[in-house]
Amino acid sequence: MSNVNSTVLLVARILLSFIFILSGFGKLTDPASTAGMITGAGFPAATALAYLAGLFELVTGLCVLVGFQIKIVGVALALFCVFTGAVFHSGTVAVPGWPDAALGWINTLNGIMMMKNFTLAGAYILLAAAGAGAYSVDARTSKAYAAA
């Protein structure tokens, strides 16, 4: 793989990792809003699931950043993005007591979040297919195994 392609993959990994590192950290330090969304979607054990989602996001985000097990992590994140987009960001949002104008804005934002999730799923599928590139843990470990 050329240095240019490896550099492009490194930049892509850095950019694709931020959303999950930050989101995962946020869920782990303050899971209440995520637990509320989970409850609203009808899932049990919302706080536990919020912490689990936060841990998943933080760990997979860090894996993307350093390029570790990128084919597995890329597929896992693509599936996570499609699932969360379809379950939590499709349909309308109803917040009791909020004015209709605010609800229209929230529903528009929710639709954008769904499209963002589906778009990210495509990016993670591409990352899984391309691999992590030369500047990654995956590249270093495969060289170590090849040399042994």
Side-chain angles (χ1 to χ4, degrees):
M1 179 174 288
S2 75
N3 286 343
V4 171
N5 287 343
S6 289
T7 302
V8 168
L9 285 170
L10 174 62
V11 170
R13 286 195 346 258
I14 291 168
L15 294 173
L16 287 168
S17 71
F18 285 144
I19 193 167
F20 284 109
I21 293 170
L22 296 176
S23 180
F25 181 78
K27 283 177 179 68
L28 290 172
T29 57
D30 185 13
S33 62
T34 301
M37 287 182 72
I38 292 170
T39 298
F43 290 98
T47 301
L49 287 175
Y51 279 119
L52 186 61
L55 184 62
F56 174 83
E57 290 178 4
L58 181 62
V59 169
T60 56
L62 291 170
C63 286
V64 169
L65 180 64
V66 300
F68 178 70
Q69 295 292 318
I70 207 69
K71 292 182 183 288
I72 295 167
V73 169
V75 170
L77 281 169
L79 293 171
F80 182 81
C81 286
V82 170
F83 173 79
T84 57
V87 172
F88 298 107
H89 298 300
S90 63
T92 57
V93 177
V95 181
W98 282 42
D100 288 341
L103 291 177
W105 180 81
I106 290 171
N107 284 310
T108 299
L109 182 59
N110 200 40
I112 291 168
M113 296 295 283
M114 183 179 65
M115 289 185 286
K116 178 260 315 170
N117 278 32
F118 292 166
T119 302
L120 280 173
Y124 288 114
I125 290 167
L126 279 172
L127 190 60
Y135 310 125
S136 67
V137 171
D138 285 352
R140 293 199 183 276
T141 56
S142 66
K143 287 178 187 174
Y145 287 122

